[in-house]
Amino acid sequence: MSLAKGILGGPCLAAQFGLPSGKKPPAETGRLPRTDGQTGSGDSGGNSIMFKKLHSGWKRFEEWANEDDSVSKSTTTQTSQTETGPSAPTQTSTKDHTCNHSDPVTEDTPKPEAYCYTNKSTSSSYKYTPLPSTTKSAIRVLTLLPGRADADIECRLIELDLNNPWTEDDGEEGFEALSYVWGDIAETTPIQIDGATVQIGRNLRSALLHLRYHEKPRILWVDAACINQEDMDERNRQVMLMGDIYTKAARTLVWLGCPCCLLGALNTDRLTYSQGKWLDHLAGIDPLFEAIEILGNEARKLAEEGREVIPKQEEKDEDGTTYDRIKKLKPKWNIIFLENPWWTRIWTLQEIVLAKEARLCMERHELGWDLLRVAITYYTALGFGDFSEIYAGSKTNSGVEPFNLVNAIREARQPGSELVTGDVGDELLHYLASSHWRDCRMPQDKIFGLMGLFSEGRDVGIEVDYRLDAEDVYRQATKSLLQQSGNLDALGFCYPYKIPRVTNLPSWIPDWGSVGNLALPLMNDAKGQPRTTHASRGLRSNPRWENNDTTLLLDGHIIDTIAKLGRMQVPPNQDDRNEGSLDHMLNDPVMIAEADSFPDRWEDLDPERPIRHFISAWWKGMRMAVPYVAKAILEIFGNVVEMRETFLQWDELVAAELGEPHEDRRTIFRDTITTATPCPLEPSVFDSRFEGWLQAVYSIRKLKKKRIDRYAPKTYTTLAAVTTFVKMEDDDLPEAFATYTTHTPRRRLGITASKRVCLLPKLTEVGDKVALLRGGRVPMILRPREDGSMQFVGEAYVHGVMDGEAFHEEECIDFRIT
């Protein structure tokens, strides 16, 4: 029997693929028609004949798998009787139900409580009573009245003074503060407060519904309900009190959201759900919270016994190792805990940092923050997590990075630490840098959302006033940073975003509201440690302002001019460099619709021909996914090759300008791309790591000499990527050289008129000036304007001047930066 006959022929095909007995498979007798004009089943033609047979058979299978079975059987009775017999049951399609209060809730239409129930009774809108003006510490708290799951949410608002101690009459242990994500404010649902109606977000309703006790009230502080959002003066005052609120709360309840939304059973845009899916998702939450307890207990056991964690192994029982058990849960684990939207909002940072005790809540589950901290640390040590930026620099575990930053801030805020006792400007910049990727609905909140982190007596000099434009708030914040820190580190966050959050800012004011990736600021070295050198010899800055604080005056002097520029180093993240090209593909509505239609349970299959239904859906999905996968691979390969090509071009530029016999050429090139970051290894070991990395860069030179990149670009990209991977050093090596190049993405190499080698901002142009400014740790690039002022372009590494070698205080003049 031929191979093609084995695949497509045989009498069992109908049963295997769920074909009805009345319909024949594509190759009725198992013998494919000849495509070369011959007849018979001989072997003449060899492999080419066999290939043609396979190709023809595959096309027939494709036609069979892609036949449209969606025609309504009510209009095709005759066909239905032919294929399945007259007694075949009629197939009924399952319809998605919109979760709104017009839908009846019955046993036949189960729905997630958090999104489908709404208060049955409503009344006139709630009218807030102004808080007493005699005290600045007055707040409201929400008394959540008891009720069962299907009962209306009813509450009371009471006033209290934060400065007065909590009494037994107020509650058993004090109020609890809620930390949650507001979500789409356009989608609201009513609750009752003191007999009147208040509109709140759906995610908040979900939280109140699940946090409500059945038999006793629960006292909460919830910003959306306890602050009159329509009263601008009250909002300003209450935002300034939020630090005290979360500090004095008995505990902070972190609402992680509805699992049906997070896991895809419920589409938050359309508020629809897939019939039956959400029950499966809710049941799948239990093992995730059980896994937290397993990881936490095992980590503590290892710590007590003094044993080290062995990645991908550890404790073993009848269910396998811990790694094996957690690996099965990883996709849901990431969605629920590590990729949760709660990590992405600016307000949740201060809410968790200031909490005395924090508990993470979802459905009926509650989890202590300390247990989560131990579990996630152990989770990472076992070898889990998605790593990014491994080709351009240090491995950053993108999944746990938000968690690590929160813990770092909590540890850095210990009493007596340098962060909370040093310059208040440095403290503010630390918070802004740690929350750069956190987003907010109003751009002003990127600054206002951090004000609660400053303890009493540490005046940051920023007024919370929502009447101010975002431009005014960012100017105020940057001015405070420069005045109170004594350095120019804040200027390192000025970056030309493709899609700025706030436009028309002066060149010296960072767009604090943008959450896109930026070139890593040079105030720290490539390992994230404070830079030990200082280009202006440790002097403090002396900033002044003119023209209604729009023009910044700084002291300094120009030392050089940019003469030659290399190409910009691409970032390692495809979404960043290509405006989310791959991400856009994966969010293609056609792709999403196809994925949503794929049957993920046996009950979703056509009961008359389940196997055929599954094979057909799988085949259509594969055909749709192949172009996406191919493009993703080419983008990844292309990204790696482009990065290596840029390093190669930089190296050749330095060689051409300094001369190949230059004895220090390679040392200068190495120090420039690493920004002279010190390495704890022996110099000879680090030099050998650099040479190995450089050979991987040189490996693509031979391919370029043969001009493969010109005549066959895709072949060149694949070969160059494979060659690079083969010659690349092991990124798991301690202190791998690639981890020292984190400052290169989104920058370009340059040569000055004095033959100094520089690492420059990406928008640097030939003719820009290299300036040393008082208070600056690193040189700055300035561009002269026609009116005599300067445009700030960005920070730079300039070899040979990083430790004050070229700074002369007596030569300083005023630069007007606009």
Side-chain angles (χ1 to χ4, degrees):
M1 181 175 65
S2 68
L3 178 61
K5 183 174 181 179
I7 295 175
L8 299 175
C12 63
L13 183 65
Q16 183 180 356
F17 286 160
L19 282 171
S21 57
K23 184 176 181 179
K24 293 182 174 60
E28 185 172 359
T29 63
R31 181 174 298 166
L32 297 175
R34 300 297 292 259
T35 58
D36 55 359
Q38 302 183 36
T39 59
S41 58
D43 291 331
S44 60
N47 292 334
S48 63
I49 301 299
M50 178 61 69
F51 174 78
K52 291 177 180 179
K53 287 183 176 183
L54 288 173
H55 183 266
S56 177
W58 188 253
K59 294 297 291 183
R60 286 170 176 261
F61 168 73
E62 179 180 337
E63 293 172 1
W64 170 81
N66 287 325
E67 283 183 1
D68 187 5
D69 288 329
S70 62
V71 180
S72 174
K73 293 187 178 174
S74 62
T75 61
T76 58
T77 305
Q78 184 175 356
T79 304
S80 178
Q81 291 177 349
T82 302
E83 294 187 357
T84 62
S87 60
T90 302
Q91 192 70 17
T92 304
S93 62
T94 301
K95 179 184 177 182
D96 284 348
H97 294 268
T98 302
C99 295
N100 56 40
H101 44 273
S102 63
D103 280 330
V105 180
T106 68
E107 294 180 356
D108 296 328
T109 57
K111 300 178 182 181
E113 294 174 351
Y115 285 86
C116 299
Y117 288 138
T118 185
N119 276 17
K120 303 178 184 66
S121 60
T122 58
S123 56
S124 59
S125 298
Y126 182 80
K127 302 296 183 183
Y128 283 88
T129 301
L131 290 167
S133 57
T134 55
T135 175
K136 294 182 179 180
S137 55
I139 65 169
R140 304 182 187 92
V141 291
L142 187 75
T143 302
L144 181 59
L145 300 179
R148 301 193 63 81
D150 58 348
D152 285 359
I153 294 180
E154 297 186 2
C155 313
R156 292 198 302 265
L157 277 177
I158 58 175
E159 297 177 2
L160 60 86
D161 191 336
L162 274 174
N163 292 332
N164 292 335
W166 191 268
T167 65
E168 292 184 0
D169 295 337
D170 298 319
E172 295 180 357
E173 53 183 3
F175 66 91
E176 300 168 300
L178 185 63
S179 176
Y180 67 104
V181 175
W182 272 44
D184 187 358
I185 61 173
E187 297 287 349
T188 61
T189 183
I191 63 170
Q192 295 299 106
I193 297 181
D194 293 329
T197 297
V198 173
Q199 296 289 336
I200 63 171
R202 293 179 178 272
N203 192 41
L204 176 54
R205 179 183 180 82
S206 175
L208 297 178
L209 196 67
H210 290 90
L211 295 174
R212 177 172 59 182
Y213 293 137
H214 285 182
E215 298 179 351
K216 65 176 182 178
R218 191 167 194 173
I219 302 177
L220 305 170
W221 186 86
V222 182
D223 56 357
C226 296
I227 300 176
N228 183 1
Q229 303 294 330
E230 303 299 324
D231 187 337
M232 194 70 70
D233 291 330
E234 180 176 311
R235 281 177 62 191
N236 295 338
R237 292 192 300 268
Q238 292 289 296
V239 166
M240 291 299 295
L241 286 175
M242 285 182 67
D244 289 338
I245 290 171
Y246 281 90
T247 300
K248 295 182 178 182
R251 69 183 56 83
T252 296
L253 303 175
V254 176
W255 175 249
L256 295 176
C258 171
C260 300
C261 287
L262 297 173
L263 295 174
L266 189 141
N267 186 316
T268 54
D269 294 330
R270 299 188 305 270
L271 292 178
T272 60
Y273 70 96
S274 301
Q275 184 76 294
K277 280 187 180 180
W278 71 275
L279 287 173
D280 293 341
H281 289 318
L282 293 184
I285 298 302
D286 296 340
L288 294 178
F289 281 84
E290 292 171 2
I292 293 285
E293 187 173 355
I294 292 173
L295 287 170
N297 293 336
E298 191 169 302
R300 288 167 177 167
K301 178 182 176 182
L302 291 176
E304 292 173 358
E305 297 176 356
R307 290 190 287 151
E308 294 184 357
V309 178
I310 303 177
K312 301 185 180 181
Q313 293 187 29
E314 291 317 313
E315 302 300 306
K316 187 173 184 179
D317 54 25
E318 61 275 7
D319 296 326
T321 64
T322 301
Y323 181 86
D324 294 333
R325 292 198 300 268
I326 302 302
K327 185 177 181 180
K328 299 176 183 178
L329 301 173
K330 181 186 173 185
K332 287 186 178 180
W333 170 290
N334 287 348
I335 292 172
I336 295 297
F337 294 118
L338 302 183
E339 300 171 6
N340 194 291
W342 182 83
W343 296 103
T344 68
R345 312 309 294 176
I346 188 65
W347 290 103
T348 59
L349 176 62
Q350 69 172 7
E351 293 165 3
I352 190 62
V353 167
L354 297 174
K356 282 193 235 176
E357 175 192 350
R359 300 195 66 80
L360 288 79
C361 309
M362 176 175 280
E363 291 293 326
R364 62 183 182 279
H365 299 283
E366 286 195 9
L367 175 68
W369 174 266
D370 291 336
L371 181 61
L372 179 71
R373 176 178 55 82
V374 173
I376 290 185
T377 302
Y378 186 44
Y379 173 85
T380 307
L382 281 174
F384 291 103
D386 299 320
F387 292 92
S388 61
E389 310 229 353
I390 62 175
Y391 304 119
S394 59
K395 284 184 175 179
T396 300
N397 189 324
S398 58
V400 301
E401 189 64 17
F403 169 82
N404 290 337
L405 288 172
V406 168
N407 277 332
I409 292 177
R410 287 169 67 97
E411 293 174 4
R413 286 173 50 85
Q414 297 299 317
S417 68
E418 182 180 355
L419 180 66
V420 297
T421 58
D423 289 330
V424 69
D426 289 336
E427 184 180 0
L428 175 59
L429 186 61
H430 182 84
Y431 297 148
L432 284 167
S434 300
S435 61
H436 164 75
W437 43 268
R438 288 178 178 262
D439 205 355
C440 48
R441 182 173 59 88
M442 300 181 64
Q444 297 94 322
D445 286 342
K446 200 61 178 283
I447 305 299
F448 295 161
L450 300 173
M451 293 299 97
L453 291 170
F454 294 92
S455 57
E456 187 176 357
R458 289 180 66 80
D459 183 12
V460 73
I462 297 176
E463 177 187 6
V464 175
D465 187 353
Y466 282 97
R467 297 183 182 88
L468 297 175
D469 295 333
E471 180 181 345
D472 296 327
V473 175
Y474 289 179
R475 181 188 300 112
Q476 190 181 95
T478 308
K479 182 178 178 180
S480 175
L481 284 165
L482 295 175
Q483 282 180 324
Q484 303 199 49
S485 65
N487 58 56
L488 304 181
D489 292 347
L491 299 182
F493 290 84
C494 295
Y495 184 77
Y497 296 100
K498 293 180 180 178
I499 306 177
R501 184 75 184 269
V502 180
T503 57
N504 300 321
L505 290 170
S507 63
W508 58 272
I509 299 179
D511 184 3
W512 298 111
S514 292
V515 295
N517 292 322
L518 75 163
L520 195 64
L522 294 173
M523 62 181 184
N524 294 329
D525 62 24
K527 289 295 186 177
Q529 300 302 313
R531 192 167 292 281
T532 57
T533 57
H534 202 288
S536 61
R537 299 183 180 179
L539 296 177
R540 291 181 66 88
S541 61
N542 182 29
R544 289 94 61 208
W545 283 268
E546 293 180 346
N547 301 328
N548 296 323
D549 293 346
T550 59
T551 301
L552 170 65
L553 273 67
L554 292 174
D555 302 332
H557 61 92
I558 293 173
I559 63 169
D560 220 328
T561 303
I562 302 300
K564 295 285 182 67
L565 288 172
R567 59 198 279 184
M568 188 196 78
Q569 179 59 284
V570 298
N573 188 312
Q574 275 295 328
D575 291 348
D576 176 88
R577 65 183 286 253
N578 218 9
E579 285 300 321
S581 59
L582 182 58
D583 185 58
H584 288 171
M585 287 196 311
L586 295 178
N587 285 283
D588 184 351
V590 177
M591 186 73 169
I592 294 175
E594 186 66 27
D596 288 343
S597 67
F598 190 85
D600 59 354
R601 301 188 311 159
W602 184 262
E603 291 80 1
D604 295 333
L605 295 173
D606 185 344
E608 298 175 11
R609 48 185 75 136
I611 302 300
R612 174 176 177 175
H613 185 182
F614 176 80
I615 293 293
S616 177
W618 174 84
W619 173 243
K620 290 178 182 178
M622 284 295 296
R623 289 201 62 187
M624 179 168 287
V626 164
Y628 293 86
V629 174
K631 184 172 179 60
I633 293 174
L634 282 176
E635 282 193 356
I636 293 171
F637 280 9
N639 182 238
V640 173
V641 172
E642 190 173 352
M643 292 175 68
R644 298 295 171 172
E645 285 180 337
T646 301
F647 281 126
L648 180 61
Q649 193 255 358
W650 288 3
D651 181 70
E652 292 173 345
L653 177 62
V654 173
E657 294 299 316
L658 300 186
E660 190 62 42
H662 196 289
E663 58 182 4
D664 294 329
R665 180 183 71 80
R666 285 200 172 182
T667 300
I668 292 173
F669 179 62
R670 181 200 65 194
D671 289 349
T672 301
I673 63 177
T674 62
T675 62
T677 300
C679 177
L681 299 176
E682 292 291 332
S684 59
V685 176
F686 190 60
D687 287 343
S688 66
R689 296 273 175 87
F690 170 60
E691 288 299 326
W693 176 88
L694 202 58
Q695 291 305 313
V697 172
Y698 290 161
S699 64
I700 62 176
R701 184 177 285 169
K702 292 182 179 179
L703 296 173
K704 294 183 73 69
K705 285 183 178 179
K706 295 179 181 180
R707 298 186 178 182
I708 299 177
D709 56 328
R710 181 177 299 179
Y711 302 114
K714 290 185 178 180
T715 302
Y716 163 76
T717 298
T718 304
L719 291 175
V722 171
T723 305
T724 301
F725 283 129
V726 170
K727 293 183 176 292
M728 188 184 300
E729 64 178 336
D730 186 357
D731 284 299
D732 290 324
L733 283 173
E735 307 300 331
F737 182 80
T739 65
Y740 284 82
T741 62
T742 52
H743 283 119
T744 59
R746 309 173 186 92
R747 286 192 169 94
R748 61 179 72 243
L749 189 129
I751 307 292
T752 70
S754 302
K755 302 298 183 182
R756 292 187 174 107
V757 182
C758 320
L759 192 62
L760 303 167
K762 71 175 186 179
L763 294 186
T764 303
E765 298 176 358
V766 172
D768 287 348
K769 306 301 179 181
V770 180
L772 297 179
L773 304 178
R774 177 193 289 267
R777 299 179 195 268
V778 298
M780 306 292 181
I781 304 301
L782 302 178
R783 182 173 301 155
R785 298 184 188 270
E786 294 182 357
D787 62 358
S789 65
M790 291 286 187
Q791 175 187 346
F792 180 76
V793 180
E795 297 177 311
Y797 174 93
V798 182
H799 189 77
V801 305
M802 296 299 293
D803 206 15
E805 298 93 334
F807 181 77
H808 303 288
E809 188 174 3
E810 65 276 7
E811 298 180 9
C812 290
I813 61 174
D814 285 346
F815 288 110
R816 298 175 60 253
I817 303 175
T818 58

